[in-house]
């Protein structure tokens, strides 16, 4: 039911018939990663955190297309990488504040209560 609908909407399952659109754009044959770039994405209930990283560092891993992901950028565009890191950190802290757990942002997930891990 609901899970199948979300899987079809986010591109994990192709519909048997019909079409889908978002703001006038046909999504029916659009790849799931392209739908995510349009803001239509899904999360899974089995949250995978890297227990050795802080809560903030785990959130920072979620930002797509970071300049520092490319080795050449780290060496040749390091200012851009640093600027993007600063912006992403500010965004991550704002998200943690919105979720009410910014105070725990430097704690490793293994030290957080289970409910806090599922923010």
């Amino acid at each position: 039911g609901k899970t199948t609908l979300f899987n079809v909407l986010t591109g994990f399952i192709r519909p048997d018939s019909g079409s889908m659109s978002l703001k006038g754009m046909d999504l029916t044959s659009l790849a799931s990663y392209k739908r995510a770039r349009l803001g239509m994405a899904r999360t899974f209930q089995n949250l995978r955190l890297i227990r050795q990283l802080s809560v903030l560092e785990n959130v920072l891993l979620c930002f797509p297309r970071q300049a520092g992901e490319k080795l050449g950028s780290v060496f040749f565009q390091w200012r851009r990488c640093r600027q993007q890191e600063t912006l992403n950190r500010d965004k991550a802290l704002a998200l943690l504040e919105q979720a009410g757990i910014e105070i725990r942002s430097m704690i490793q997930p293994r030290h957080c209560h289970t409910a806090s891990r599922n923010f």
Side-chain angles (χ1 to χ4, degrees), residues 43-50 53-63 91-110 112-119:
T43 60
F44 297 91
Q45 292 178 355
N46 55 345
L47 186 61
R48 308 277 177 153
L49 298 172
I50 300 175
L53 298 180
S54 70
V55 173
L56 176 60
E57 290 166 332
N58 272 281
V59 173
L60 286 169
L61 291 174
C62 298
F63 290 103
K91 288 179 191 176
L93 286 169
L95 289 169
L96 290 168
E97 182 179 355
Q98 186 177 1
I101 58 173
E102 77 282 357
I103 195 75
R104 299 188 199 115
S105 64
M106 299 311 291
I107 299 172
Q108 292 177 342
R110 65 177 171 219
C112 291
H113 185 273
T114 304
S116 297
R117 286 187 227 146
N118 295 330
F119 58 89

Side-chain angles (χ1 to χ4, degrees), residues 29-84:
S29 60
L30 198 63
S32 59
Y33 75 93
K34 290 182 179 179
R35 293 177 196 205
R37 288 182 183 163
L38 293 172
M40 182 183 290
R42 65 161 295 170
T43 60
F44 297 91
Q45 292 178 355
N46 55 345
L47 186 61
R48 308 277 177 153
L49 298 172
I50 300 175
R51 296 169 57 88
Q52 294 80 7
L53 298 180
S54 70
V55 173
L56 176 60
E57 290 166 332
N58 272 281
V59 173
L60 286 169
L61 291 174
C62 298
F63 290 103
R65 299 182 304 279
Q66 297 185 48
E69 292 176 354
K70 297 180 181 176
L71 190 58
S73 296
V74 173
F75 292 110
F76 303 113
Q77 297 178 347
W78 59 270
R79 283 190 180 103
R80 186 173 141 241
C81 290
R82 176 139 330 179
Q83 288 172 339
Q84 188 179 46

